[in-house]
């Protein structure tokens, strides 16, 4: 995750995929699926099943590209006193605007494998700051910066 303090007093926390990992995942998928490609393009198949198989391969590639390129963006706006967020999940996106006054704090949620993610605790709900969990020592630092910003702007 990347954190930015803007001159306007806003705080932006974002997580973008790394293009290299997207390409690496795509290459791994193509390597694993090479038998499917050979099956699709052999002459023994009927043209109708070729179209169906090619369509399935294209849809699978698009799905994996979506999964490997998940991102999120949280903008803590000091002048409007709101949090604007957008999170990409594999099958949908979540967007919203929450008044800063409804945000209690940011916490780090850790699972049994020591992978973590940051959670924004609000009145009545929790908002995860990414669709995935990962090993990161920076989560505590980012969480502390968010909580400091919230103390200064509430």
């Amino acid at each position: 995750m990347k954190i930015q303090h803007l001159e306007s007093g806003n705080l932006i926390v974002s997580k973008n995929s790394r293009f290299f990992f997207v390409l690496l995942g795509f290459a791994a998928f193509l390597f694993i699926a090479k038998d499917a490609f050979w099956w699709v393009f052999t002459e023994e198949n009927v043209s109708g099943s070729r179209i169906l198989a090619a369509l399935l391969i294209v849809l699978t590639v698009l799905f994996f590209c979506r999964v490997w390129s998940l991102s999120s963006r949280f903008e803590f706006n000091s002048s409007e006193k709101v949090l604007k967020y957008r999170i990409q999940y594999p099958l949908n996106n979540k967007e919203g605007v929450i008044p800063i006054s409804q945000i209690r704090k940011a916490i780090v949620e850790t699972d049994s494998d020591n992978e973590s993610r940051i959670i924004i605790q609000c009145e009545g709900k929790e908002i995860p700051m990414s669709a995935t969990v990962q090993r990161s020592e920076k989560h505590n630092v980012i969480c502390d910066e968010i909580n400091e910003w919230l103390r200064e702007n509430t």
Side-chain angles (χ1 to χ4, degrees), residues 5 18 20 35 48 59 75-76 103 126 129 145 148 154:
H5 294 275
R18 295 204 165 94
F20 172 75
D35 293 333
L59 290 175
E75 182 178 347
F76 296 85
I103 300 174
E126 293 183 341
M129 291 190 76
E145 286 192 46
E148 179 66 28
T154 344

Side-chain angles (χ1 to χ4, degrees), residues 109-121:
E109 178 183 74
T110 306
D111 65 9
S112 59
D113 296 330
N114 284 333
E115 293 184 333
S116 61
R117 66 179 171 181
I118 301 171
I119 305 285
I120 302 292
Q121 285 186 334

Side-chain angles (χ1 to χ4, degrees), residues 4-65:
Q4 298 173 316
H5 294 275
L6 303 180
E7 290 180 16
S8 62
N10 294 353
L11 178 72
I12 296 177
V13 181
S14 59
K15 178 183 179 282
N16 294 319
S17 62
R18 295 204 165 94
F19 187 69
F20 172 75
F21 291 123
V22 174
L23 286 178
L24 185 65
F26 185 67
F29 169 76
L30 290 178
F31 180 75
I32 292 168
K34 69 179 183 267
D35 293 333
F37 282 103
W38 286 118
W39 178 80
V40 168
F41 297 110
T42 58
E43 292 183 22
E44 300 168 4
N45 291 319
V46 183
S47 64
S49 65
R50 273 189 191 171
I51 293 171
L52 177 63
L55 180 64
L56 286 175
I57 289 171
V58 168
L59 290 175
T60 304
V61 167
L62 290 175
F63 176 75
F64 279 107
C65 283

Side-chain angles (χ1 to χ4, degrees), residues 83-86 94-98:
L83 164 63
K84 298 175 186 175
Y85 66 92
R86 182 174 192 272
K94 285 190 178 179
E95 296 181 10
V97 178
I98 298 174

Side-chain angles (χ1 to χ4, degrees), residues 118-142:
I118 301 171
I119 305 285
I120 302 292
Q121 285 186 334
C122 303
E123 294 177 9
K125 70 177 176 177
E126 293 183 341
I127 304 168
M129 291 190 76
S130 75
T132 59
V133 294
Q134 62 186 12
R135 290 182 193 258
S136 176
E137 302 296 324
K138 292 173 35 176
H139 283 160
N140 288 327
V141 173
I142 293 171

Side-chain angles (χ1 to χ4, degrees), residues 68-79:
W68 286 319
S69 64
L70 298 177
S71 65
S72 61
R73 179 179 169 90
F74 284 73
E75 182 178 347
F76 296 85
N77 192 311
S78 62
S79 61

